[in-house]
Amino acid sequence: MSYEELVYRNLSLQRANELRESIRDYLDKEPHIETGFRVQERTLRNQQRILEHFNATRENWDDWAWQMKHRINTVEELQCFLNLSPQEVEELKLISKRYRWGISPYYLSLIDFDNYQDSPIYKQAIPSILELWDHQGSEDPMGETVTSPANRVTRRYPDRLIINVTNQCAMYCRHCQRRRNFGEEDKHCTLQQMEEALQYVRDNPEIRDVLITGGDALLLSNKTLGWLLGELDKIPHVEIKRLGTRTPVTLPQRITPELCAILEKHPPIYINTQFNSPVEVTPEAKEACDRLVKAGVVLGNQAVLLKGINDDVHVMKKLNQELLKIRVRPYYIFQAKQVRGTSHFIAPIETGIAIMENLRGYTSGLAVPTYIINAPGGGGKTPILPEYLLSMDEDEITFRTWENRIYKYKNYK
Ligand SMILES: *Cc1c(COP(=O)(O)O)cnc(C)c1O
């Protein structure tokens, strides 16, 4: 090696050390962050216990209809697994009168039964008395009821819209933005309502992107879903179809070979799901995502920033890295909406910005979603970024890098 080469090699080695040290805090914390893969043994023990309780088999467990039918939704049943305090029991009974809740046996099995109060799964699925005490926020902060030009349709953007096909979910997220639709029971929309929504799409040729959601789009039957996707395929101006579903997270058993055979017939399909915690990235979730990818579906994740669940720069980084491993591309991180009954989940916006600051540059660009605040009343998804552009004029811009190095850059005209 020439003297010059040696100098450069040494400089590069120094820089490499510096880069490693810039994520030292993460390297130290990362091994202690729970993931679905790391807690698999615990999950399997819980699964065994749940199966014994229901006197059921492994085959039952893998059957999504069984999972749906055996959703745990009473305090008495929850007590069979968790050592709830008398106060928690009282509070849960009180809140059950006001808001519905329910959790699939699979999602329940991800809870650390011995330390349930800290569990990101418990917090998302089991109601807190804080839901009743919340007097902030509104029932429908997105103004969905006033942006509905046709039955079941929400249109807030020029070239795309949502069709809401059901209120049913495998688990009723406590932070749900559509809590007002929980109702008393599961209700798919009727074929006639779907037909009206389809007619709206047919009549509006600028609509090129149709998002089917709910509730959970994948809780429609295979038959209905196949029909709906087929009808959309017949509309020449519909270029892409999207499905909103949390089943890869809360009910991966739903992603059956039969379902995938249907999805495969209707490309291009994009599925956005909602993993909020690395604990949710389990071997079962990976299998479900593998099947979807093989069926040609493109997978994205829309996380919600939730206090006590993922409002931490390291946990959020780990979540996004775990998602890339199972071929789910982080798409959005949403600031939680100001929905009545969910205030206890809302993290400060500073936290969201700090999370973004800690992702860009520090990890794969693929692991960096866009942080979004939804403007109230249906104003639209708005990206909120740490500020990189410091100043700009005709001739020059000044910006800072992910490491906070400041550069001036000529602005050619
Ligand atoms: C979120 C949303 C969409 C999709 O928005 P993208 O930014 O394209 O993912 C479309 N319509 C409505 C009403 C929405 O709320």
Side-chain angles (χ1 to χ4, degrees):
M1 226 186 239
S2 74
Y3 176 72
E4 206 174 42
E5 283 171 336
L6 205 64
V7 169
Y8 285 135
R9 176 56 49 81
N10 272 331
L11 278 173
S12 305
L13 283 169
Q14 247 175 46
R15 175 64 176 150
N17 276 334
E18 200 180 297
L19 287 170
R20 183 189 320 109
E21 288 317 300
S22 78
I23 56 164
R24 173 56 54 201
D25 54 343
Y26 183 62
L27 294 177
D28 289 344
K29 296 232 169 71
E30 186 279 331
H32 308 291
I33 299 175
E34 276 196 357
T35 71
F37 279 84
R38 287 175 178 161
V39 301
Q40 191 184 9
E41 261 178 52
R42 182 185 79 201
T43 306
L44 287 173
R45 276 199 308 277
N46 291 346
Q47 178 187 323
Q48 199 51 45
R49 218 173 119 188
I50 298 169
L51 283 178
E52 277 163 26
H53 169 81
F54 287 116
N55 201 9
T57 63
R58 237 342 277 226
E59 286 67 46
N60 292 141
W61 187 265
D62 292 334
D63 171 6
W64 70 280
W66 183 88
Q67 290 276 343
M68 284 300 287
K69 188 151 173 266
H70 292 83
R71 280 178 298 174
I72 290 91
N73 55 18
T74 66
V75 185
E76 289 74 19
E77 207 157 27
L78 192 63
Q79 277 182 290
C80 300
F81 308 104
L82 304 179
N83 199 3
L84 300 172
S85 73
Q87 189 186 341
E88 284 171 323
V89 172
E90 275 321 297
E91 290 180 352
L92 264 172
K93 281 188 178 154
L94 203 62
I95 193 146
S96 301
K97 285 190 201 143
R98 174 81 181 279
Y99 293 115
R100 189 154 83 111
W101 60 278
I103 177 171
S104 65
Y106 164 79
Y107 200 61
L108 178 74
S109 77
L110 304 186
I111 295 178
D112 179 354
F113 287 178
D114 299 324
N115 189 17
Y116 62 89
Q117 282 151 326
D118 289 334
S119 161
I121 308 298
Y122 183 91
K123 286 179 192 174
Q124 288 181 72
I126 309 300
S128 152
I129 193 71
L130 298 175
E131 292 182 22
L132 282 186
W133 295 346
D134 185 10
H135 299 294
Q136 289 175 294
S138 66
E139 294 274 304
D140 177 21
M142 302 316 301
E144 287 185 321
T145 45
V146 296
T147 49
S148 178
N151 217 331
R152 294 281 165 169
V153 170
T154 306
R155 180 169 182 186
R156 205 178 285 152
Y157 298 104
D159 67 345
R160 57 205 185 282
L161 53 74
I162 284 179
I163 304 179
N164 185 312
V165 292
T166 180
N167 75 344
Q168 192 180 35
C169 285
M171 185 277 279
Y172 295 93
C173 303
R174 304 326 299 166
H175 56 277
C176 181
Q177 58 167 325
R178 300 198 183 101
R179 291 171 70 93
R180 65 180 192 286
N181 295 345
F182 282 0
E184 304 286 324
E185 57 187 49
D186 293 332
K187 259 201 226 110
H188 293 328
C189 78
T190 61
L191 281 186
Q192 157 133 31
Q193 288 173 322
M194 273 188 234
E195 189 47 58
E196 276 176 54
L198 284 167
Q199 196 52 45
Y200 181 83
V201 178
R202 290 184 197 111
D203 293 342
N204 290 272
E206 71 280 11
I207 300 299
R208 38 163 292 286
D209 172 0
V210 174
L211 206 169
I212 304 166
T213 188
D216 196 307
L218 289 189
L219 291 183
L220 288 187
S221 69
N222 288 350
K223 193 169 156 232
T224 307
L225 204 60
W227 171 78
L228 187 55
L229 292 170
E231 288 304 302
L232 287 168
D233 282 345
K234 286 185 203 157
I235 306 174
H237 53 270
V238 173
E239 298 173 359
I240 64 172
K241 300 164 296 293
R242 294 200 251 180
L243 301 171
T245 176
R246 264 202 105 178
T247 54
V249 185
T250 57
L251 185 71
Q253 295 79 8
R254 173 66 183 103
I255 314 301
T256 59
E258 297 74 33
L259 172 68
C260 291
I262 292 169
L263 297 178
E264 198 169 7
K265 277 197 219 132
H266 300 279
I269 295 183
Y270 290 77
I271 287 188
N272 275 333
T273 186
Q274 187 193 131
F275 286 91
N276 289 327
S277 161
V279 178
E280 295 167 338
V281 184
T282 64
E284 289 90 336
K286 177 180 185 298
E287 273 178 42
C289 292
D290 281 347
R291 279 198 286 277
L292 288 168
V293 168
K294 281 196 188 109
V297 175
V298 182
L299 296 173
N301 191 60
Q302 308 192 149
V304 183
L305 177 59
L306 296 169
K307 203 188 258 178
I309 293 170
N310 58 20
D311 59 336
D312 175 285
V313 292
H314 303 305
V315 169
M316 200 57 110
K317 190 193 281 184
K318 184 67 178 164
L319 169 63
N320 289 315
Q321 293 175 345
E322 286 294 294
L323 289 173
L324 288 184
K325 284 159 69 179
I326 64 167
R327 293 186 281 186
V328 177
R329 168 79 157 92
Y331 178 50
Y332 284 148
I333 295 179
F334 287 121
Q335 176 67 12
K337 291 165 193 146
Q338 296 170 357
V339 181
R340 173 136 343 124
T342 67
S343 303
H344 54 294
F345 284 118
I346 302 179
I349 290 156
E350 286 88 339
T351 306
I353 294 176
I355 285 169
M356 296 313 296
E357 178 88 51
N358 188 259
L359 289 173
R360 174 62 66 197
Y362 291 93
T363 191
S364 318
L366 285 169
V368 186
T370 305
Y371 177 41
I372 295 283
I373 297 187
N374 260 284
K381 297 185 176 73
T382 309
I384 304 293
L385 281 173
E387 202 53 74
Y388 293 100
L389 182 62
L390 301 178
S391 72
M392 173 160 182
D393 63 33
E394 292 276 301
D395 308 318
E396 190 180 69
I397 70 164
T398 308
F399 64 88
R400 70 177 178 90
T401 66
W402 59 282
E403 289 177 292
N404 259 327
R405 296 190 187 180
I406 295 177
Y407 289 83
K408 288 189 184 301
Y409 198 82
K410 195 165 161 51
N411 185 15
Y412 284 107
K413 287 280 149 115

